[in-house]
Amino acid sequence: MADHLTPTTVFKCLADETRVRLMLLITREEELCVCELTCALDESQPKISRHLAQLRTCGLLADRRQGQWVYYRLHPNLPGWVHNVLTTVLEANKYWLTPDSKRLEGMGDRPERVAACC
């Protein structure tokens, strides 16, 4: 699905502050679980999960399950131009994510990631 992304599709998917914040945090961290995103954005788990599902349906995110945790990362087939847009927005707006970043960094008991096997 990610290989069929158009600018209109991408910008419609990102036309919500919560979804933009999620995408920029995931771009910065490479992979985050729902509990980390809930803490970072200081929002309810159902709200975060709903927005993550929308981003996954759009083809911007991929997920993987590890035990009780579900981790989200940028879709591996995301076109380069989408990566460039996200990286540029992230670099130019780090201050905008500062409160979210501080909450994430201060989160205790972050889940351990198991390296992907073979």
Side-chain angles (χ1 to χ4, degrees):
M1 181 179 292
D3 54 345
H4 294 97
L5 289 173
T6 65
T8 303
T9 304
V10 170
F11 290 113
K12 280 184 178 181
C13 290
L14 296 176
D16 177 89
E17 181 177 342
T18 300
R19 288 193 295 275
V20 171
R21 290 166 63 198
L22 290 168
M23 288 298 294
L24 294 179
L25 282 170
I26 292 169
T27 298
R28 191 187 79 179
E29 298 291 323
E30 296 183 6
E31 183 179 69
L32 289 168
C33 77
V34 175
C35 67
E36 291 170 309
L37 291 163
T38 300
C39 177
L41 272 65
D42 195 26
E43 297 284 357
S44 70
Q45 182 273 323
K47 179 178 180 177
I48 295 299
S49 292
R50 181 172 35 98
H51 284 290
L52 289 168
Q54 288 176 303
L55 292 166
R56 193 179 64 241
T57 299
C58 288
L60 296 175
L61 292 180
D63 64 343
R64 71 176 178 89
R65 181 169 293 280
Q66 178 183 309
Q68 65 180 353
W69 309 111
V70 178
Y71 291 92
Y72 289 85
R73 65 189 182 288
L74 298 181
H75 195 286
N77 296 331
L78 210 55
W81 70 267
V82 178
H83 278 281
N84 292 342
V85 166
L86 292 169
T87 302
T88 299
V89 171
L90 177 61
E91 289 300 315
N93 294 281
K94 288 183 180 180
Y95 68 91
W96 188 64
L97 279 181
T98 298
D100 302 332
S101 299
K102 285 183 178 179
R103 281 189 295 271
L104 181 61
E105 290 164 9
M107 180 183 177
D109 298 328
R110 287 179 72 178
E112 298 282 329
R113 284 159 181 74
V114 174
C117 178
C118 316

